[in-house]
Amino acid sequence: MAKKFFLLGVLSIFFQFQFPKDHSFHKNFGLEWVYFVGILNAESGETFGYELSFFRVKLKDESQSELYPVHFAISDVKNRKHYTEQIIKRNIGGLSGFTESKLWSGEYEANILNKNEFHLNVHPKSQLISLDLHLLGSTGVFPQGKNGISPKSHTNPAIYSYYYSYPRLESKGTIKVNDNIYKIVSGMSWLDHEWSEEDGKSKGSFTLSSKESGWDWVCISTEAGSDFVFFRFKEGVDKPYSIFGSMRSVDGKIQYFDSPGQVQMEPKSKFWKSPNTKIEYPLEWKIEYPGGSWEISPYFNEQEFDGRKSTGIVYWEGMVQAKNPSEKTKGFGYLELKGYKKKKDWWEF
């Protein structure tokens, strides 16, 4: 076991990201996702959140086919409404795929203009919601884990990913909600990109996308200019959590909290029960890390994504507010909760 952790450390020494190339998908890996989330301000005064997640899954059969699911959601803060769309396409006939400058699946596109600039163009056939955003970054990427090698477990070194974030992407453009088109005059987006399961090197049946796995993840951007990521991960229902965190200060200095016990990430007593799936989610959190703490709460509760028509996974992902009571510091971000199941009613066995 110690040898495997040592080899993971060696990998983190020699690996280096290459941008803009690494913003796109990687053909030699079996599992990958690119998340865009953000909080947007409309010219008319409304505030919206959005999630746009591109997935790539290589099937483990003779066909070696690839699936490209996409999840898309808009949160309407004023009306406390959460709208979702999803799609899944195979890499057949140009319906989905990727190049070094583009990810796409059906009517969902993410264009990589350069290492700091993106254009998102999403127009689902239902026409209920759509999005056309230009994203421009100036802070540079934020590697998660030393040089972007992100361990997920304190006990199993085989569970890791290549992982970076790009916070504070200035966002402008338009979104559509129902029949209303809103001009987005300001906003901040956050890009998260992970890939794992390199061809010929992945062993065992466990993957980060396994239905048995679970994680609670949050990104926070503060008013003062620093950025945080915290997550806790478990391999299965009866497995213990491993908790990790990272912080990038205003001056660009990065701190990693990757030792057991460095970060405490616990839900508070409030749980919200989804009226659609009957799953209960902990939407308020207390996080403690070396040098500070955060209290996390949602903008509103109803931000569940039922992805059973595409990825088969139901999860909660939505806009959150963060505050540090001792320093009176505030922040904003997104929270994702995966791996929660409906509790059995008393008559179910």
Side-chain angles (χ1 to χ4, degrees), residues 59-65:
L59 297 180
K60 296 180 179 180
D61 57 22
E62 294 181 357
S63 72
Q64 289 290 290
S65 295

Side-chain angles (χ1 to χ4, degrees), residues 73-110:
I74 289 182
S75 296
D76 179 346
V77 175
K78 180 180 179 181
N79 297 303
R80 305 176 80 85
K81 296 286 187 179
H82 185 64
Y83 303 89
T84 66
E85 294 282 356
Q86 58 191 300
I87 196 172
I88 183 168
K89 297 286 187 182
R90 284 179 180 260
N91 58 329
I92 298 174
L95 297 176
S96 61
F98 68 98
T99 66
E100 286 193 8
S101 60
K102 182 179 178 181
L103 314 175
W104 77 93
S105 184
E107 304 81 36
Y108 301 74
E109 294 183 1

